[in-house]
PDB file of all heavy atoms in Angstrom:
ATOM      1  N   MET Z  41      39.521 -59.981 -58.471  1.00 45.00           N
ATOM      2  CA  MET Z  41      39.426 -60.064 -57.010  1.00 45.00           C
ATOM      3  C   MET Z  41      39.800 -58.720 -56.400  1.00 45.00           C
ATOM      4  O   MET Z  41      40.825 -58.141 -56.720  1.00 45.00           O
ATOM      5  CB  MET Z  41      40.385 -61.150 -56.506  1.00 45.00           C
ATOM      6  CG  MET Z  41      40.050 -61.711 -55.122  1.00 45.00           C
ATOM      7  SD  MET Z  41      40.403 -60.603 -53.735  1.00 45.00           S
ATOM      8  CE  MET Z  41      42.160 -60.342 -53.950  1.00 45.00           C
ATOM      9  N   GLU Z  42      38.949 -58.200 -55.539  1.00 46.00           N
ATOM     10  CA  GLU Z  42      39.181 -56.921 -54.919  1.00 46.00           C
ATOM     11  C   GLU Z  42      40.057 -57.076 -53.673  1.00 46.00           C
ATOM     12  O   GLU Z  42      40.081 -58.119 -53.038  1.00 46.00           O
ATOM     13  CB  GLU Z  42      37.840 -56.284 -54.534  1.00 46.00           C
ATOM     14  CG  GLU Z  42      36.921 -56.052 -55.728  1.00 46.00           C
ATOM     15  CD  GLU Z  42      35.637 -55.365 -55.315  1.00 46.00           C
ATOM     16  OE1 GLU Z  42      35.557 -54.893 -54.161  1.00 46.00           O
ATOM     17  OE2 GLU Z  42      34.720 -55.292 -56.145  1.00 46.00           O
ATOM     18  N   GLU Z  43      40.771 -56.000 -53.327  1.00 47.00           N
ATOM     19  CA  GLU Z  43      41.623 -56.016 -52.137  1.00 47.00           C
ATOM     20  C   GLU Z  43      40.788 -56.252 -50.887  1.00 47.00           C
ATOM     21  O   GLU Z  43      39.727 -55.660 -50.701  1.00 47.00           O
ATOM     22  CB  GLU Z  43      42.355 -54.680 -52.019  1.00 47.00           C
ATOM     23  CG  GLU Z  43      43.259 -54.592 -50.796  1.00 47.00           C
ATOM     24  CD  GLU Z  43      43.861 -53.224 -50.627  1.00 47.00           C
ATOM     25  OE1 GLU Z  43      43.566 -52.347 -51.456  1.00 47.00           O
ATOM     26  OE2 GLU Z  43      44.616 -53.047 -49.666  1.00 47.00           O
ATOM     27  N   GLN Z  44      41.263 -57.137 -50.033  1.00 56.00           N
ATOM     28  CA  GLN Z  44      40.525 -57.467 -48.823  1.00 56.00           C
ATOM     29  C   GLN Z  44      40.978 -56.570 -47.664  1.00 56.00           C
ATOM     30  O   GLN Z  44      42.166 -56.382 -47.431  1.00 56.00           O
ATOM     31  CB  GLN Z  44      40.740 -58.938 -48.453  1.00 56.00           C
ATOM     32  CG  GLN Z  44      40.335 -59.918 -49.530  1.00 56.00           C
ATOM     33  CD  GLN Z  44      38.861 -59.811 -49.879  1.00 56.00           C
ATOM     34  OE1 GLN Z  44      38.043 -59.423 -49.052  1.00 56.00           O
ATOM     35  NE2 GLN Z  44      38.524 -60.137 -51.104  1.00 56.00           N
ATOM     36  N   ARG Z  45      40.016 -56.023 -46.976  1.00 69.00           N
ATOM     37  CA  ARG Z  45      40.287 -55.244 -45.776  1.00 69.00           C
ATOM     38  C   ARG Z  45      39.454 -55.813 -44.640  1.00 69.00           C
ATOM     39  O   ARG Z  45      38.313 -56.202 -44.839  1.00 69.00           O
ATOM     40  CB  ARG Z  45      39.954 -53.766 -45.996  1.00 69.00           C
ATOM     41  CG  ARG Z  45      40.838 -53.097 -47.053  1.00 69.00           C
ATOM     42  CD  ARG Z  45      40.503 -51.634 -47.190  1.00 69.00           C
ATOM     43  NE  ARG Z  45      41.339 -50.982 -48.189  1.00 69.00           N
ATOM     44  CZ  ARG Z  45      41.234 -49.697 -48.530  1.00 69.00           C
ATOM     45  NH1 ARG Z  45      40.313 -48.931 -47.942  1.00 69.00           N
ATOM     46  NH2 ARG Z  45      42.042 -49.178 -49.444  1.00 69.00           N
ATOM     47  N   GLU Z  46      40.022 -55.814 -43.479  1.00 78.00           N
ATOM     48  CA  GLU Z  46      39.316 -56.420 -42.350  1.00 78.00           C
ATOM     49  C   GLU Z  46      38.127 -55.569 -41.929  1.00 78.00           C
ATOM     50  O   GLU Z  46      38.284 -54.387 -41.623  1.00 78.00           O
ATOM     51  CB  GLU Z  46      40.265 -56.576 -41.168  1.00 78.00           C
ATOM     52  CG  GLU Z  46      39.598 -57.212 -39.969  1.00 78.00           C
ATOM     53  CD  GLU Z  46      40.534 -57.337 -38.794  1.00 78.00           C
ATOM     54  OE1 GLU Z  46      41.754 -57.201 -38.976  1.00 78.00           O
ATOM     55  OE2 GLU Z  46      40.030 -57.575 -37.681  1.00 78.00           O
ATOM     56  N   PRO Z  47      36.925 -56.152 -41.911  1.00 78.00           N
ATOM     57  CA  PRO Z  47      35.752 -55.407 -41.448  1.00 78.00           C
ATOM     58  C   PRO Z  47      35.840 -55.152 -39.947  1.00 78.00           C
ATOM     59  O   PRO Z  47      36.343 -55.972 -39.194  1.00 78.00           O
ATOM     60  CB  PRO Z  47      34.575 -56.346 -41.774  1.00 78.00           C
ATOM     61  CG  PRO Z  47      35.135 -57.404 -42.674  1.00 78.00           C
ATOM     62  CD  PRO Z  47      36.587 -57.510 -42.354  1.00 78.00           C
ATOM     63  N   ARG Z  48      35.326 -54.025 -39.521  1.00 75.00           N
ATOM     64  CA  ARG Z  48      35.336 -53.674 -38.103  1.00 75.00           C
ATOM     65  C   ARG Z  48      34.578 -54.711 -37.277  1.00 75.00           C
ATOM     66  O   ARG Z  48      34.945 -55.008 -36.139  1.00 75.00           O
ATOM     67  CB  ARG Z  48      34.720 -52.290 -37.916  1.00 75.00           C
ATOM     68  CG  ARG Z  48      34.676 -51.808 -36.485  1.00 75.00           C
ATOM     69  CD  ARG Z  48      34.084 -50.402 -36.409  1.00 75.00           C
ATOM     70  NE  ARG Z  48      32.767 -50.358 -37.033  1.00 75.00           N
ATOM     71  CZ  ARG Z  48      31.642 -50.708 -36.414  1.00 75.00           C
ATOM     72  NH1 ARG Z  48      31.693 -51.146 -35.163  1.00 75.00           N
ATOM     73  NH2 ARG Z  48      30.485 -50.630 -37.031  1.00 75.00           N
ATOM     74  N   GLU Z  49      33.493 -55.269 -37.860  1.00 77.00           N
ATOM     75  CA  GLU Z  49      32.661 -56.214 -37.117  1.00 77.00           C
ATOM     76  C   GLU Z  49      33.370 -57.536 -36.815  1.00 77.00           C
ATOM     77  O   GLU Z  49      32.915 -58.316 -35.979  1.00 77.00           O
ATOM     78  CB  GLU Z  49      31.385 -56.537 -37.912  1.00 77.00           C
ATOM     79  CG  GLU Z  49      30.540 -55.331 -38.246  1.00 77.00           C
ATOM     80  CD  GLU Z  49      30.886 -54.742 -39.601  1.00 77.00           C
ATOM     81  OE1 GLU Z  49      32.030 -54.913 -40.064  1.00 77.00           O
ATOM     82  OE2 GLU Z  49      30.002 -54.093 -40.199  1.00 77.00           O
ATOM     83  N   ALA Z  50      34.482 -57.787 -37.507  1.00 81.00           N
ATOM     84  CA  ALA Z  50      35.130 -59.093 -37.397  1.00 81.00           C
ATOM     85  C   ALA Z  50      35.838 -59.304 -36.061  1.00 81.00           C
ATOM     86  O   ALA Z  50      36.074 -60.445 -35.659  1.00 81.00           O
ATOM     87  CB  ALA Z  50      36.134 -59.272 -38.538  1.00 81.00           C
ATOM     88  N   PHE Z  51      36.178 -58.215 -35.372  1.00 85.00           N
ATOM     89  CA  PHE Z  51      36.912 -58.370 -34.113  1.00 85.00           C
ATOM     90  C   PHE Z  51      36.316 -57.450 -33.052  1.00 85.00           C
ATOM     91  O   PHE Z  51      36.819 -56.352 -32.793  1.00 85.00           O
ATOM     92  CB  PHE Z  51      38.400 -58.075 -34.296  1.00 85.00           C
ATOM     93  CG  PHE Z  51      39.238 -58.422 -33.088  1.00 85.00           C
ATOM     94  CD1 PHE Z  51      39.616 -59.736 -32.853  1.00 85.00           C
ATOM     95  CD2 PHE Z  51      39.619 -57.448 -32.182  1.00 85.00           C
ATOM     96  CE1 PHE Z  51      40.365 -60.068 -31.725  1.00 85.00           C
ATOM     97  CE2 PHE Z  51      40.377 -57.760 -31.065  1.00 85.00           C
ATOM     98  CZ  PHE Z  51      40.750 -59.076 -30.836  1.00 85.00           C
ATOM     99  N   PRO Z  52      35.216 -57.884 -32.402  1.00 87.00           N
ATOM    100  CA  PRO Z  52      34.597 -57.062 -31.356  1.00 87.00           C
ATOM    101  C   PRO Z  52      35.177 -57.303 -29.966  1.00 87.00           C
ATOM    102  O   PRO Z  52      34.714 -56.716 -28.992  1.00 87.00           O
ATOM    103  CB  PRO Z  52      33.130 -57.521 -31.404  1.00 87.00           C
ATOM    104  CG  PRO Z  52      33.241 -58.975 -31.755  1.00 87.00           C
ATOM    105  CD  PRO Z  52      34.426 -59.083 -32.709  1.00 87.00           C
ATOM    106  N   TYR Z  53      36.189 -58.168 -29.872  1.00 90.00           N
ATOM    107  CA  TYR Z  53      36.652 -58.651 -28.571  1.00 90.00           C
ATOM    108  C   TYR Z  53      37.497 -57.598 -27.859  1.00 90.00           C
ATOM    109  O   TYR Z  53      38.443 -57.051 -28.413  1.00 90.00           O
ATOM    110  CB  TYR Z  53      37.427 -59.950 -28.752  1.00 90.00           C
ATOM    111  CG  TYR Z  53      36.612 -60.964 -29.505  1.00 90.00           C
ATOM    112  CD1 TYR Z  53      36.848 -61.213 -30.859  1.00 90.00           C
ATOM    113  CD2 TYR Z  53      35.557 -61.630 -28.888  1.00 90.00           C
ATOM    114  CE1 TYR Z  53      36.068 -62.111 -31.569  1.00 90.00           C
ATOM    115  CE2 TYR Z  53      34.776 -62.528 -29.585  1.00 90.00           C
ATOM    116  CZ  TYR Z  53      35.033 -62.763 -30.926  1.00 90.00           C
ATOM    117  OH  TYR Z  53      34.246 -63.639 -31.624  1.00 90.00           O
ATOM    118  N   GLN Z  54      37.152 -57.359 -26.605  1.00 93.00           N
ATOM    119  CA  GLN Z  54      37.781 -56.311 -25.819  1.00 93.00           C
ATOM    120  C   GLN Z  54      38.805 -56.888 -24.851  1.00 93.00           C
ATOM    121  O   GLN Z  54      38.726 -58.061 -24.476  1.00 93.00           O
ATOM    122  CB  GLN Z  54      36.696 -55.543 -25.046  1.00 93.00           C
ATOM    123  CG  GLN Z  54      35.644 -54.912 -25.933  1.00 93.00           C
ATOM    124  CD  GLN Z  54      34.452 -54.400 -25.144  1.00 93.00           C
ATOM    125  OE1 GLN Z  54      34.513 -54.242 -23.926  1.00 93.00           O
ATOM    126  NE2 GLN Z  54      33.345 -54.132 -25.830  1.00 93.00           N
ATOM    127  N   PRO Z  55      39.779 -56.082 -24.428  1.00 95.00           N
ATOM    128  CA  PRO Z  55      40.766 -56.575 -23.459  1.00 95.00           C
ATOM    129  C   PRO Z  55      40.158 -56.753 -22.085  1.00 95.00           C
ATOM    130  O   PRO Z  55      39.124 -56.155 -21.765  1.00 95.00           O
ATOM    131  CB  PRO Z  55      41.829 -55.464 -23.468  1.00 95.00           C
ATOM    132  CG  PRO Z  55      41.095 -54.246 -23.899  1.00 95.00           C
ATOM    133  CD  PRO Z  55      40.048 -54.709 -24.867  1.00 95.00           C
ATOM    134  N   PRO Z  56      40.771 -57.584 -21.243  1.00 97.00           N
ATOM    135  CA  PRO Z  56      40.255 -57.767 -19.876  1.00 97.00           C
ATOM    136  C   PRO Z  56      40.415 -56.486 -19.073  1.00 97.00           C
ATOM    137  O   PRO Z  56      41.458 -55.843 -19.112  1.00 97.00           O
ATOM    138  CB  PRO Z  56      41.122 -58.896 -19.319  1.00 97.00           C
ATOM    139  CG  PRO Z  56      42.388 -58.821 -20.105  1.00 97.00           C
ATOM    140  CD  PRO Z  56      41.992 -58.366 -21.479  1.00 97.00           C
ATOM    141  N   THR Z  57      39.399 -56.139 -18.343  1.00 96.00           N
ATOM    142  CA  THR Z  57      39.468 -54.961 -17.485  1.00 96.00           C
ATOM    143  C   THR Z  57      40.237 -55.286 -16.207  1.00 96.00           C
ATOM    144  O   THR Z  57      40.502 -56.450 -15.897  1.00 96.00           O
ATOM    145  CB  THR Z  57      38.050 -54.496 -17.110  1.00 96.00           C
ATOM    146  OG1 THR Z  57      37.405 -55.553 -16.369  1.00 96.00           O
ATOM    147  CG2 THR Z  57      37.219 -54.184 -18.358  1.00 96.00           C
ATOM    148  N   ARG Z  58      40.566 -54.253 -15.459  1.00 97.00           N
ATOM    149  CA  ARG Z  58      41.238 -54.477 -14.172  1.00 97.00           C
ATOM    150  C   ARG Z  58      40.345 -55.287 -13.240  1.00 97.00           C
ATOM    151  O   ARG Z  58      40.820 -56.139 -12.479  1.00 97.00           O
ATOM    152  CB  ARG Z  58      41.594 -53.135 -13.528  1.00 97.00           C
ATOM    153  CG  ARG Z  58      42.237 -53.269 -12.157  1.00 97.00           C
ATOM    154  CD  ARG Z  58      42.777 -51.959 -11.647  1.00 97.00           C
ATOM    155  NE  ARG Z  58      43.864 -51.480 -12.496  1.00 97.00           N
ATOM    156  CZ  ARG Z  58      44.540 -50.354 -12.259  1.00 97.00           C
ATOM    157  NH1 ARG Z  58      44.238 -49.603 -11.219  1.00 97.00           N
ATOM    158  NH2 ARG Z  58      45.516 -49.984 -13.072  1.00 97.00           N
ATOM    159  N   GLU Z  59      39.032 -55.021 -13.297  1.00 97.00           N
ATOM    160  CA  GLU Z  59      38.085 -55.774 -12.464  1.00 97.00           C
ATOM    161  C   GLU Z  59      38.131 -57.266 -12.805  1.00 97.00           C
ATOM    162  O   GLU Z  59      38.110 -58.116 -11.905  1.00 97.00           O
ATOM    163  CB  GLU Z  59      36.672 -55.242 -12.665  1.00 97.00           C
ATOM    164  CG  GLU Z  59      35.633 -55.965 -11.828  1.00 97.00           C
ATOM    165  CD  GLU Z  59      34.222 -55.454 -12.083  1.00 97.00           C
ATOM    166  OE1 GLU Z  59      34.061 -54.523 -12.898  1.00 97.00           O
ATOM    167  OE2 GLU Z  59      33.287 -56.004 -11.466  1.00 97.00           O
ATOM    168  N   ILE Z  60      38.204 -57.588 -14.104  1.00 97.00           N
ATOM    169  CA  ILE Z  60      38.289 -58.985 -14.520  1.00 97.00           C
ATOM    170  C   ILE Z  60      39.592 -59.605 -14.032  1.00 97.00           C
ATOM    171  O   ILE Z  60      39.610 -60.736 -13.524  1.00 97.00           O
ATOM    172  CB  ILE Z  60      38.176 -59.099 -16.053  1.00 97.00           C
ATOM    173  CG1 ILE Z  60      36.738 -58.815 -16.499  1.00 97.00           C
ATOM    174  CG2 ILE Z  60      38.620 -60.482 -16.543  1.00 97.00           C
ATOM    175  CD1 ILE Z  60      36.555 -58.754 -18.001  1.00 97.00           C
ATOM    176  N   ARG Z  61      40.686 -58.882 -14.172  1.00 97.00           N
ATOM    177  CA  ARG Z  61      41.980 -59.409 -13.723  1.00 97.00           C
ATOM    178  C   ARG Z  61      41.989 -59.680 -12.224  1.00 97.00           C
ATOM    179  O   ARG Z  61      42.613 -60.638 -11.766  1.00 97.00           O
ATOM    180  CB  ARG Z  61      43.098 -58.425 -14.104  1.00 97.00           C
ATOM    181  CG  ARG Z  61      43.399 -58.387 -15.598  1.00 97.00           C
ATOM    182  CD  ARG Z  61      44.551 -57.443 -15.894  1.00 97.00           C
ATOM    183  NE  ARG Z  61      44.908 -57.430 -17.296  1.00 97.00           N
ATOM    184  CZ  ARG Z  61      45.722 -58.306 -17.874  1.00 97.00           C
ATOM    185  NH1 ARG Z  61      46.268 -59.264 -17.133  1.00 97.00           N
ATOM    186  NH2 ARG Z  61      46.006 -58.220 -19.159  1.00 97.00           N
ATOM    187  N   ASP Z  62      41.314 -58.818 -11.455  1.00 97.00           N
ATOM    188  CA  ASP Z  62      41.248 -59.020 -10.007  1.00 97.00           C
ATOM    189  C   ASP Z  62      40.300 -60.165  -9.646  1.00 97.00           C
ATOM    190  O   ASP Z  62      40.626 -61.008  -8.796  1.00 97.00           O
ATOM    191  CB  ASP Z  62      40.781 -57.733  -9.321  1.00 97.00           C
ATOM    192  CG  ASP Z  62      41.830 -56.638  -9.372  1.00 97.00           C
ATOM    193  OD1 ASP Z  62      43.019 -56.978  -9.607  1.00 97.00           O
ATOM    194  OD2 ASP Z  62      41.475 -55.456  -9.208  1.00 97.00           O
ATOM    195  N   ARG Z  63      39.150 -60.197 -10.284  1.00 97.00           N
ATOM    196  CA  ARG Z  63      38.131 -61.191  -9.947  1.00 97.00           C
ATOM    197  C   ARG Z  63      38.567 -62.598 -10.322  1.00 97.00           C
ATOM    198  O   ARG Z  63      38.285 -63.563  -9.608  1.00 97.00           O
ATOM    199  CB  ARG Z  63      36.826 -60.837 -10.653  1.00 97.00           C
ATOM    200  CG  ARG Z  63      35.682 -61.784 -10.342  1.00 97.00           C
ATOM    201  CD  ARG Z  63      34.408 -61.304 -11.011  1.00 97.00           C
ATOM    202  NE  ARG Z  63      33.303 -62.224 -10.783  1.00 97.00           N
ATOM    203  CZ  ARG Z  63      32.084 -62.065 -11.298  1.00 97.00           C
ATOM    204  NH1 ARG Z  63      31.820 -61.009 -12.051  1.00 97.00           N
ATOM    205  NH2 ARG Z  63      31.141 -62.950 -11.054  1.00 97.00           N
ATOM    206  N   TYR Z  64      39.255 -62.725 -11.460  1.00 97.00           N
ATOM    207  CA  TYR Z  64      39.670 -64.046 -11.947  1.00 97.00           C
ATOM    208  C   TYR Z  64      41.194 -64.167 -11.931  1.00 97.00           C
ATOM    209  O   TYR Z  64      41.799 -64.734 -12.837  1.00 97.00           O
ATOM    210  CB  TYR Z  64      39.131 -64.273 -13.362  1.00 97.00           C
ATOM    211  CG  TYR Z  64      37.622 -64.161 -13.459  1.00 97.00           C
ATOM    212  CD1 TYR Z  64      37.036 -63.020 -13.998  1.00 97.00           C
ATOM    213  CD2 TYR Z  64      36.798 -65.184 -13.004  1.00 97.00           C
ATOM    214  CE1 TYR Z  64      35.650 -62.900 -14.080  1.00 97.00           C
ATOM    215  CE2 TYR Z  64      35.412 -65.071 -13.083  1.00 97.00           C
ATOM    216  CZ  TYR Z  64      34.855 -63.925 -13.628  1.00 97.00           C
ATOM    217  OH  TYR Z  64      33.487 -63.812 -13.710  1.00 97.00           O
ATOM    218  N   ARG Z  65      41.787 -63.655 -10.870  1.00 97.00           N
ATOM    219  CA  ARG Z  65      43.244 -63.589 -10.768  1.00 97.00           C
ATOM    220  C   ARG Z  65      43.900 -64.955 -10.971  1.00 97.00           C
ATOM    221  O   ARG Z  65      44.922 -65.069 -11.641  1.00 97.00           O
ATOM    222  CB  ARG Z  65      43.627 -63.036  -9.389  1.00 97.00           C
ATOM    223  CG  ARG Z  65      45.109 -62.798  -9.207  1.00 97.00           C
ATOM    224  CD  ARG Z  65      45.415 -62.249  -7.819  1.00 97.00           C
ATOM    225  NE  ARG Z  65      44.735 -60.987  -7.583  1.00 97.00           N
ATOM    226  CZ  ARG Z  65      43.701 -60.824  -6.751  1.00 97.00           C
ATOM    227  NH1 ARG Z  65      43.218 -61.876  -6.068  1.00 97.00           N
ATOM    228  NH2 ARG Z  65      43.149 -59.652  -6.584  1.00 97.00           N
ATOM    229  N   GLU Z  66      43.283 -66.007 -10.418  1.00 97.00           N
ATOM    230  CA  GLU Z  66      43.897 -67.332 -10.502  1.00 97.00           C
ATOM    231  C   GLU Z  66      43.944 -67.852 -11.939  1.00 97.00           C
ATOM    232  O   GLU Z  66      44.843 -68.625 -12.293  1.00 97.00           O
ATOM    233  CB  GLU Z  66      43.140 -68.324  -9.612  1.00 97.00           C
ATOM    234  CG  GLU Z  66      41.745 -68.700 -10.074  1.00 97.00           C
ATOM    235  CD  GLU Z  66      40.706 -67.640  -9.797  1.00 97.00           C
ATOM    236  OE1 GLU Z  66      41.052 -66.603  -9.178  1.00 97.00           O
ATOM    237  OE2 GLU Z  66      39.546 -67.831 -10.207  1.00 97.00           O
ATOM    238  N   LEU Z  67      43.015 -67.416 -12.774  1.00 97.00           N
ATOM    239  CA  LEU Z  67      43.018 -67.868 -14.169  1.00 97.00           C
ATOM    240  C   LEU Z  67      44.231 -67.325 -14.915  1.00 97.00           C
ATOM    241  O   LEU Z  67      44.809 -68.017 -15.764  1.00 97.00           O
ATOM    242  CB  LEU Z  67      41.733 -67.437 -14.884  1.00 97.00           C
ATOM    243  CG  LEU Z  67      40.413 -67.963 -14.310  1.00 97.00           C
ATOM    244  CD1 LEU Z  67      39.244 -67.499 -15.167  1.00 97.00           C
ATOM    245  CD2 LEU Z  67      40.429 -69.489 -14.214  1.00 97.00           C
ATOM    246  N   PHE Z  68      44.617 -66.104 -14.605  1.00 97.00           N
ATOM    247  CA  PHE Z  68      45.749 -65.480 -15.292  1.00 97.00           C
ATOM    248  C   PHE Z  68      47.083 -66.083 -14.860  1.00 97.00           C
ATOM    249  O   PHE Z  68      48.119 -65.803 -15.475  1.00 97.00           O
ATOM    250  CB  PHE Z  68      45.739 -63.966 -15.053  1.00 97.00           C
ATOM    251  CG  PHE Z  68      44.643 -63.253 -15.786  1.00 97.00           C
ATOM    252  CD1 PHE Z  68      43.414 -63.055 -15.187  1.00 97.00           C
ATOM    253  CD2 PHE Z  68      44.829 -62.809 -17.089  1.00 97.00           C
ATOM    254  CE1 PHE Z  68      42.387 -62.405 -15.860  1.00 97.00           C
ATOM    255  CE2 PHE Z  68      43.815 -62.161 -17.773  1.00 97.00           C
ATOM    256  CZ  PHE Z  68      42.589 -61.953 -17.169  1.00 97.00           C
ATOM    257  N   GLN Z  69      47.062 -66.919 -13.829  1.00 96.00           N
ATOM    258  CA  GLN Z  69      48.282 -67.576 -13.376  1.00 96.00           C
ATOM    259  C   GLN Z  69      48.480 -68.946 -14.035  1.00 96.00           C
ATOM    260  O   GLN Z  69      49.529 -69.561 -13.881  1.00 96.00           O
ATOM    261  CB  GLN Z  69      48.247 -67.731 -11.856  1.00 96.00           C
ATOM    262  CG  GLN Z  69      48.208 -66.399 -11.114  1.00 96.00           C
ATOM    263  CD  GLN Z  69      47.990 -66.558  -9.618  1.00 96.00           C
ATOM    264  OE1 GLN Z  69      47.815 -67.666  -9.111  1.00 96.00           O
ATOM    265  NE2 GLN Z  69      47.995 -65.443  -8.889  1.00 96.00           N
ATOM    266  N   LEU Z  70      47.465 -69.418 -14.778  1.00 97.00           N
ATOM    267  CA  LEU Z  70      47.556 -70.722 -15.430  1.00 97.00           C
ATOM    268  C   LEU Z  70      48.471 -70.636 -16.645  1.00 97.00           C
ATOM    269  O   LEU Z  70      48.437 -69.664 -17.400  1.00 97.00           O
ATOM    270  CB  LEU Z  70      46.164 -71.202 -15.855  1.00 97.00           C
ATOM    271  CG  LEU Z  70      45.162 -71.423 -14.716  1.00 97.00           C
ATOM    272  CD1 LEU Z  70      43.787 -71.763 -15.281  1.00 97.00           C
ATOM    273  CD2 LEU Z  70      45.648 -72.534 -13.792  1.00 97.00           C
ATOM    274  N   THR Z  71      49.277 -71.667 -16.838  1.00 96.00           N
ATOM    275  CA  THR Z  71      50.250 -71.662 -17.937  1.00 96.00           C
ATOM    276  C   THR Z  71      50.006 -72.762 -18.969  1.00 96.00           C
ATOM    277  O   THR Z  71      50.715 -72.847 -19.960  1.00 96.00           O
ATOM    278  CB  THR Z  71      51.680 -71.813 -17.391  1.00 96.00           C
ATOM    279  OG1 THR Z  71      51.778 -73.045 -16.650  1.00 96.00           O
ATOM    280  CG2 THR Z  71      52.043 -70.641 -16.497  1.00 96.00           C
ATOM    281  N   GLU Z  72      49.006 -73.622 -18.712  1.00 96.00           N
ATOM    282  CA  GLU Z  72      48.681 -74.714 -19.634  1.00 96.00           C
ATOM    283  C   GLU Z  72      47.176 -74.743 -19.866  1.00 96.00           C
ATOM    284  O   GLU Z  72      46.396 -74.372 -18.981  1.00 96.00           O
ATOM    285  CB  GLU Z  72      49.127 -76.071 -19.056  1.00 96.00           C
ATOM    286  CG  GLU Z  72      50.619 -76.214 -18.854  1.00 96.00           C
ATOM    287  CD  GLU Z  72      51.383 -76.278 -20.172  1.00 96.00           C
ATOM    288  OE1 GLU Z  72      50.765 -76.673 -21.185  1.00 96.00           O
ATOM    289  OE2 GLU Z  72      52.580 -75.948 -20.169  1.00 96.00           O
ATOM    290  N   PRO Z  73      46.749 -75.191 -21.055  1.00 97.00           N
ATOM    291  CA  PRO Z  73      45.304 -75.352 -21.285  1.00 97.00           C
ATOM    292  C   PRO Z  73      44.689 -76.303 -20.268  1.00 97.00           C
ATOM    293  O   PRO Z  73      45.347 -77.224 -19.775  1.00 97.00           O
ATOM    294  CB  PRO Z  73      45.242 -75.933 -22.707  1.00 97.00           C
ATOM    295  CG  PRO Z  73      46.511 -75.488 -23.357  1.00 97.00           C
ATOM    296  CD  PRO Z  73      47.543 -75.488 -22.264  1.00 97.00           C
ATOM    297  N   LEU Z  74      43.443 -76.073 -19.940  1.00 97.00           N
ATOM    298  CA  LEU Z  74      42.747 -76.908 -18.956  1.00 97.00           C
ATOM    299  C   LEU Z  74      42.425 -78.277 -19.548  1.00 97.00           C
ATOM    300  O   LEU Z  74      42.104 -78.383 -20.740  1.00 97.00           O
ATOM    301  CB  LEU Z  74      41.457 -76.222 -18.514  1.00 97.00           C
ATOM    302  CG  LEU Z  74      41.660 -74.924 -17.725  1.00 97.00           C
ATOM    303  CD1 LEU Z  74      40.342 -74.169 -17.583  1.00 97.00           C
ATOM    304  CD2 LEU Z  74      42.259 -75.214 -16.354  1.00 97.00           C
ATOM    305  N   PRO Z  75      42.499 -79.328 -18.756  1.00 96.00           N
ATOM    306  CA  PRO Z  75      42.209 -80.676 -19.267  1.00 96.00           C
ATOM    307  C   PRO Z  75      40.727 -80.832 -19.597  1.00 96.00           C
ATOM    308  O   PRO Z  75      39.873 -80.179 -18.989  1.00 96.00           O
ATOM    309  CB  PRO Z  75      42.626 -81.589 -18.109  1.00 96.00           C
ATOM    310  CG  PRO Z  75      42.501 -80.738 -16.893  1.00 96.00           C
ATOM    311  CD  PRO Z  75      42.872 -79.349 -17.320  1.00 96.00           C
ATOM    312  N   PRO Z  76      40.387 -81.718 -20.544  1.00 95.00           N
ATOM    313  CA  PRO Z  76      38.981 -81.948 -20.888  1.00 95.00           C
ATOM    314  C   PRO Z  76      38.210 -82.515 -19.703  1.00 95.00           C
ATOM    315  O   PRO Z  76      38.768 -83.219 -18.867  1.00 95.00           O
ATOM    316  CB  PRO Z  76      39.057 -82.963 -22.037  1.00 95.00           C
ATOM    317  CG  PRO Z  76      40.464 -82.898 -22.546  1.00 95.00           C
ATOM    318  CD  PRO Z  76      41.309 -82.516 -21.371  1.00 95.00           C
ATOM    319  N   ARG Z  77      36.918 -82.219 -19.648  1.00 96.00           N
ATOM    320  CA  ARG Z  77      36.020 -82.819 -18.667  1.00 96.00           C
ATOM    321  C   ARG Z  77      35.312 -83.977 -19.358  1.00 96.00           C
ATOM    322  O   ARG Z  77      34.718 -83.804 -20.442  1.00 96.00           O
ATOM    323  CB  ARG Z  77      35.000 -81.781 -18.177  1.00 96.00           C
ATOM    324  CG  ARG Z  77      35.624 -80.543 -17.512  1.00 96.00           C
ATOM    325  CD  ARG Z  77      36.194 -80.848 -16.146  1.00 96.00           C
ATOM    326  NE  ARG Z  77      35.170 -81.248 -15.197  1.00 96.00           N
ATOM    327  CZ  ARG Z  77      34.511 -80.408 -14.401  1.00 96.00           C
ATOM    328  NH1 ARG Z  77      34.783 -79.109 -14.426  1.00 96.00           N
ATOM    329  NH2 ARG Z  77      33.589 -80.862 -13.574  1.00 96.00           N
TER     330      ARG Z  77
END
Side-chain angles (χ1 to χ4, degrees):
M41 201 287 301
E42 300 183 11
E43 179 186 1
Q44 302 300 332
R45 295 182 180 179
E46 181 181 345
R48 180 178 56 83
E49 302 92 334
F51 189 80
Y53 306 102
Q54 301 169 16
T57 62
R58 177 171 296 181
E59 180 182 359
I60 288 174
R61 288 182 177 276
D62 290 341
R63 182 176 177 182
Y64 302 103
R65 185 180 300 109
E66 69 283 357
L67 300 183
F68 288 91
Q69 297 172 357
L70 298 174
T71 59
E72 297 291 336
L74 294 168
R77 300 288 296 269

